[in-house]
Amino acid sequence: MIDSLLPPAARAIQSFTHRLDITLSPQEEALIARAVPKRRNEFTTVRACAHEALAALGLAPVPLLPDERGAPGWPPGVVGSMTHCAGYGAAAVAHAHEMTALGIDAEPNSPLPEGILEAVTRPEERSALASLAALPAAAAGPAWDRLLFSAKESVYKAWYPVTRRRLDFQEAFLELAPDGTFTARILVPAPPELACVHGRWAADSGHVLTAVAVAVE
């Protein structure tokens, strides 16, 4: 599903099973040498996806090491994003001369745990969620609160590599649309290309997926 949310300039690979069919670089292996199996499986799966996505751009695999905030370091001239949750992992990349930023996120298609919604949304966003839940087709739709959370995660993953600054959940105002799109307005000083970004979403019975792709102008 993830590739359907991204422009042709991006390359995305996803997996619904653990990808343990690659050999990690020594630097990557060192990061998970003492990790529990769940963490090792997630780490290896998204890097298998990322290496394939880089190959689709015509690039050789390189160690993909997280920075101090956990954001993956991509080769020079590449922008990208990774995501994983139970039963799903994916990575997306693009050449930096074509895309300014990419952000993808996957979450289980189920309501947020109690108490989380108030922490990650603004009051006007919660009002909009109530309206979406009241739509005639809502019974067959996604878990809207989880989808909003995922969209904010995608926005942050696009924001941080460009700005190297945190973006709190309350510092972006998200508007979800039933047609599979969303808009994020950043409420703090932002580069012009990130002040208002547009994204896309998709959902199946198990997962919600969101993506933000900012093209070079």
Side-chain angles (χ1 to χ4, degrees):
M1 293 188 296
I2 194 66
D3 56 348
S4 68
L5 304 182
L6 294 166
R11 300 291 184 271
I13 302 293
Q14 65 183 5
S15 179
F16 292 90
T17 60
H18 294 317
R19 289 286 310 275
L20 307 179
D21 54 322
I22 68 166
T23 300
L24 297 173
S25 71
Q27 301 98 313
E28 291 169 328
E29 182 64 40
L31 294 173
I32 55 168
R34 300 182 180 180
V36 299
K38 179 178 183 294
R39 169 60 177 156
R40 172 175 286 274
N41 291 340
E42 292 171 344
F43 184 96
T44 306
T45 296
V46 294
R47 275 155 181 80
C49 293
H51 291 170
E52 286 192 19
L54 288 171
L57 285 184
L59 302 173
V62 297
L64 299 173
L65 309 178
D67 69 6
E68 66 277 5
R69 293 194 182 277
W74 298 99
V78 172
V79 296
S81 184
M82 300 179 187
T83 187
H84 60 74
C85 66
Y88 187 84
V93 295
H95 290 294
H97 66 265
E98 294 183 291
M99 304 297 303
T100 297
L102 285 176
I104 64 171
D105 189 69
E107 302 288 337
N109 190 0
S110 59
L112 288 170
E114 185 176 353
I116 299 298
L117 182 63
E118 290 73 18
V120 301
T121 58
R122 302 173 61 85
E124 57 268 40
E125 291 172 329
R126 294 194 289 277
S127 296
L129 288 178
S131 298
L132 289 168
L135 292 174
W144 290 105
D145 59 344
R146 184 78 73 160
L147 180 60
L148 181 62
F149 174 83
S150 178
K152 289 202 172 191
E153 286 288 304
S154 284
V155 170
Y156 178 77
K157 290 178 181 181
W159 162 274
Y160 175 73
V162 176
T163 66
R164 312 307 291 184
R165 303 201 311 265
R166 284 182 55 86
L167 183 70
D168 292 337
F169 284 108
Q170 304 291 338
E171 293 176 337
F173 172 58
L174 268 287
E175 293 180 284
L176 298 173
D179 65 356
T181 64
F182 63 88
T183 300
R185 293 176 174 82
I186 307 303
L187 305 178
V188 294
E193 66 272 24
L194 294 178
C196 181
V197 298
H198 303 281
R200 300 182 67 190
W201 64 266
D204 62 15
S205 59
H207 302 95
V208 294
L209 304 179
T210 58
V212 170
V214 181
V216 171
E217 296 185 359

